[in-house]
């Protein structure tokens, strides 16, 4: 997972100071030395690190901290706030043209992920924002480029505008926008060609497209794995072309994270989206605050909630919450829940977003077996209606029948029934906790219960 080294180091540094009742200037100095090293090791730009450490230090030795009852906590809060500020503070929104279509140019070096991100972004715009995008094949140089975009379009059932490779990209862009107006597309996403290095021919072509289409956004797509290089590329594209935002791809890889932390400070342009995989749904809006919390090991509860909200059927979730409260949750509901959870995506990814999960040693090695879920589903499906409503009816002959019907073993049936009982117990406790905390105004259920 990205940021692992940085997260580990920062977390162990702040751990030392967390519970301290008194913090001296020497403590702060020592801590800042470690923060500085951690950031440099994560390949964060040298000047960015220097400014960051200076800002945090100034605030940390200030009156508000030294006099507070929980100086350790205060300092962590400051680090969190400054990390957030470093990455741009607020989440930045995607532009909307006052007169549609909104035109977005995707630019960047070869292999950065422009074409893939174009598809992902179109998918996100449609799914999350209810928009109707048109993809434009503007890379006429790489032999398979047009085909690649068309394949993605087919996969997403999304229209792709292409004029082949004998028409100039500028002309393609012009006609695409006309076509978008005609067909009432509200977004036009122009995929452009990449080069190995920033070169003049490329820049000139991009400038021409920019001049003609007057785009609302120019998104520079950069590969997070390239670290400092990504930052340099961003700087030079920004100087020559004027970008409006950055999409950082391949954050699912083993990147140290330096690019995410430096780009904003160096270019003054926000990271708008992050790519987290090759699949078409692996693009997320970038939230500086959430990313900072994630790096500091506070978990990414908000992203989890958002995921749950877009994937889980609201009505069903409410119904289930009610059932949990009244403890009338049945095996049928359990089955339903499994279906909903599956919609959220791979379970191990979800687990990593839970607060504190980063500290569970070996979590990265856990492979949650999606097959297991299939087995559980099969077992429940083999039960009669009565059995699902009242598992206490279960005796050994029923269990044998169910095992046979689902192609599993009696031991597995037993395990499932035990898990179901445990889950019910846990739900009772959790809803109890939530009720109590509500009165006090604390503890909130981090996500729709499942
Ligand atoms: N793991 C991972 N792979 C990605 C991500 N984004 C893109 N890729 C992969 O990176 C490779 C290059 O992506 P493309 O979209 O073809 O890159 P491009 O910038 O269009 O490349 P050119 O057209 O050659 O300039 C592909 O194999 C993608 O699947 C990401 O967020 N995570
Ligand atoms: Mg491409």
């Amino acid at each position: 997972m990205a940021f692992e080294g940085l997260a580990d180091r920062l977390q162990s540094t702040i751990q030392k100071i967390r519970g301290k009742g008194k913090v001296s200037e020497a403590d702060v100095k020592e801590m800042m030395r470690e923060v500085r090293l951690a950031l440099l090791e994560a390949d964060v730009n040298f000047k960015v690190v220097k400014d960051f450490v200076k800002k945090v230090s100034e605030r940390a030795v200030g009156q508000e901290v030294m006099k507070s009852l929980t100086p350790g906590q205060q300092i962590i809060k400051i680090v969190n706030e400054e990390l957030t500020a470093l990455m741009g503070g607020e989440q930045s929104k995607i532009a909307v043209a006052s007169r549609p279509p909104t035109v977005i140019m995707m630019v960047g070096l070869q292999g950065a992920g422009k074409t893939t991100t174009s598809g992902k972004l179109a998918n996100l715009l449609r799914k999350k924002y209810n928009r109707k995008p048109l993809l434009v094949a503007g890379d006429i140089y790489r032999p398979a480029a047009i085909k690649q975009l068309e394949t993605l379009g087919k996969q997403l059932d999304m229209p792709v505008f292409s004029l082949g490779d004998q028409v100039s990209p500028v002309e393609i862009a012009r006609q695409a926008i006309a076509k978008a107006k005609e067909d009432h597309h509200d977004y036009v996403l122009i995929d452009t060609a990449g080069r190995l290095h920033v070169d003049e021919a490329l820049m000139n072509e991009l400038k021409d497209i920019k001049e003609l289409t007057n785009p609302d956004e120019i998104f520079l797509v950069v590969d997070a794995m390239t670290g400092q290089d990504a930052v340099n590329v961003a700087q030079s594209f920004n100087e020559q072309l004027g970008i409006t935002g950055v999409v950082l791809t391949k954050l699912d890889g083993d990147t140290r994270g330096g690019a995410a932390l430096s780009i904003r400070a160096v270019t003054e342009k926000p990271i708008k989206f992050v790519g987290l995989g090759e699949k078409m749904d692996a693009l997320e809006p970038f939230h500086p605050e959430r990313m900072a919390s994630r790096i500091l090991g506070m978990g990414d509860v908000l992203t989890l909630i958002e995921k749950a909200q877009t994937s889980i059927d609201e009505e069903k979730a409410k119904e289930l919450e009610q059932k949990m409260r009244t403890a009338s949750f049945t095996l049928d509901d359990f089955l339903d829940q499994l279906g909903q959870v599956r919609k959220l995506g791979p379970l191990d990814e979800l687990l990593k977003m839970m607060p504190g999960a980063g500290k569970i040693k070996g979590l990265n090695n856990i492979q949650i077996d999606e097959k297991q879920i299939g087995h559980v589903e099969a077992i429940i499906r083999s039960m009669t209606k009565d059995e699902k409503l009242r598992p206490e009816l279960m005796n050994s002959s029923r269990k044998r029948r169910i095992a046979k019907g689902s192609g599993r073993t009696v031991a597995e049936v037993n395990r499932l029934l035990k898990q179901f009982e445990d889950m019910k117990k846990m739900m009772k406790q959790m809803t109890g906790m939530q009720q109590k905390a509500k009165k006090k105004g604390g503890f909130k259920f981090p996500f729709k219960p499942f």
Side-chain angles (χ1 to χ4, degrees):
M1 194 178 67
F3 294 110
E4 204 157 8
L6 178 63
D8 276 355
R9 291 207 47 170
L10 285 182
Q11 282 167 33
S12 68
T13 307
I14 62 181
Q15 204 56 42
K16 282 185 211 154
I17 208 163
R18 190 181 287 275
K20 279 203 168 181
K22 246 174 121 181
V23 177
S24 66
E25 253 189 82
D27 288 335
V28 172
K29 245 197 183 143
E30 167 66 19
M31 181 187 173
M32 284 306 127
R33 215 175 59 90
E34 286 183 39
V35 168
R36 193 175 146 267
L37 281 174
L39 292 172
L40 287 174
E41 240 170 51
D43 206 19
V44 180
N45 175 286
F46 175 76
K47 191 174 170 306
V48 172
V49 174
K50 207 173 133 203
D51 290 349
F52 178 82
V53 168
K54 186 160 165 258
K55 263 196 207 136
V56 176
S57 304
E58 272 168 15
R59 288 185 59 189
V61 296
Q63 291 289 327
E64 42 163 345
V65 173
M66 294 303 179
K67 278 197 184 151
S68 101
L69 288 172
T70 51
Q73 294 285 359
Q74 289 289 331
I75 292 176
I76 293 164
K77 187 163 158 267
I78 292 170
V79 174
N80 191 20
E81 281 170 9
E82 291 298 334
L83 263 184
T84 305
L86 183 63
M87 291 184 281
E90 296 276 290
Q91 182 213 347
S92 66
K93 299 267 180 299
I94 194 162
V96 183
S98 51
R99 283 204 302 153
T102 304
V103 177
I104 302 178
M105 259 174 91
M106 310 294 283
V107 305
L109 294 188
Q110 219 164 70
K114 295 176 293 299
T115 307
T116 312
T117 305
S118 302
K120 288 179 184 174
L121 187 55
N123 187 31
L124 190 75
L125 283 167
R126 182 175 62 188
K127 215 161 128 185
K128 191 165 172 205
Y129 302 96
N130 225 354
R131 300 290 177 181
K132 193 181 160 204
L134 178 65
L135 286 162
V136 182
D139 177 1
I140 59 168
Y141 305 105
R142 194 162 58 78
I146 298 174
K147 189 100 196 86
Q148 186 190 357
L149 194 66
E150 282 174 342
T151 306
L152 290 179
K154 227 176 244 146
Q155 191 187 323
L156 293 166
D157 194 18
M158 190 84 72
V160 174
F161 184 90
S162 163
L163 293 175
D165 59 4
Q166 298 301 311
V167 179
S168 77
V170 180
E171 180 58 19
I172 294 172
R174 197 184 63 77
Q175 292 196 31
I177 291 171
K179 173 84 174 146
K181 281 183 185 153
E182 206 180 290
D183 294 352
H184 304 288
H185 285 285
D186 42 20
Y187 275 83
V188 173
L189 307 181
I190 307 173
D191 182 31
T192 66
R195 296 279 200 283
L196 273 177
H197 307 284
V198 180
D199 70 23
E200 221 182 297
L202 168 72
M203 283 301 168
N204 285 338
E205 182 175 298
L206 295 176
K207 279 178 197 163
D208 287 348
I209 300 177
K210 176 183 175 183
E211 205 157 296
L212 181 107
T213 63
N214 191 20
D216 302 283
E217 300 269 20
I218 301 179
F219 285 165
L220 175 70
V221 181
V222 291
D223 179 344
M225 306 282 286
T226 59
Q228 291 287 315
D229 275 344
V231 181
N232 296 334
V233 167
Q235 199 169 14
S236 101
F237 266 83
N238 191 38
E239 277 164 14
Q240 297 191 49
L241 192 65
I243 58 174
T244 62
V246 174
V247 179
L248 203 56
T249 62
K250 309 186 195 179
L251 264 189
D252 51 312
D254 209 10
T255 151
R256 286 176 287 167
L261 289 168
S262 321
I263 279 187
R264 167 72 198 221
V266 172
T267 64
E268 292 185 351
K269 294 294 156 66
I271 296 175
K272 297 239 183 180
F273 295 94
V274 289
L276 297 162
E278 299 194 70
K279 296 220 182 89
M280 281 298 107
D281 59 359
L283 185 76
E284 283 174 14
F286 181 70
H287 298 276
E289 203 183 327
R290 298 185 200 174
M291 187 58 91
S293 300
R294 211 157 156 177
I295 293 172
L296 294 179
M298 299 171 184
D300 197 355
V301 177
L302 286 170
T303 298
L304 205 58
I305 294 174
E306 216 168 59
K307 257 185 160 252
Q309 275 169 349
T310 49
S311 316
I312 287 185
D313 188 326
E314 277 295 313
E315 281 298 303
K316 273 210 170 129
K318 264 200 205 114
E319 204 181 294
L320 278 165
E321 200 174 335
Q322 188 54 36
K323 282 187 170 163
M324 281 172 52
R325 278 193 210 303
T326 53
S328 61
F329 189 78
T330 67
L331 276 159
D332 255 333
D333 300 324
F334 187 44
L335 194 60
D336 225 59
Q337 282 293 60
L338 285 177
Q340 299 265 359
V341 171
R342 266 187 159 176
K343 274 201 259 169
L344 285 173
L347 286 175
D348 45 351
E349 288 303 312
L350 284 176
L351 258 180
K352 279 182 207 156
M353 282 189 246
M354 304 275 286
K359 289 200 197 63
I360 304 173
K361 283 275 171 261
L363 184 68
N364 286 329
N365 308 325
I366 294 182
Q367 288 285 325
I368 292 184
D369 192 354
E370 308 271 334
K371 250 197 258 156
Q372 291 281 357
I373 300 185
H375 294 167
V376 168
E377 283 177 351
I379 293 173
I380 299 179
R381 289 222 167 84
S382 298
M383 296 176 185
T384 65
K385 218 169 170 181
D386 268 354
E387 286 163 350
K388 279 190 268 190
L389 282 171
R390 294 167 58 208
E392 63 273 17
L393 286 177
M394 221 61 82
N395 54 27
S396 45
S397 81
R398 283 178 191 260
K399 285 177 190 166
R400 268 199 305 276
R401 194 206 74 241
I402 292 164
K404 211 165 164 210
S406 59
R408 310 312 314 164
T409 62
V410 172
E412 280 173 293
V413 177
N414 277 330
R415 195 173 335 130
L416 167 67
L417 289 170
K418 167 102 175 44
Q419 277 172 347
F420 177 70
E421 278 314 309
D422 289 350
M423 186 165 158
K424 257 178 105 162
K425 256 185 238 151
M426 189 186 81
M427 282 179 175
K428 253 194 212 149
Q429 282 167 4
M430 277 170 92
T431 42
M433 244 159 83
Q434 192 187 17
Q435 298 283 316
K436 244 187 251 162
K438 255 193 192 149
K439 279 182 207 144
K440 280 196 250 161
F443 187 83
K444 259 178 59 204
F445 228 2
F447 42 83
K448 293 278 187 273
F450 51 74

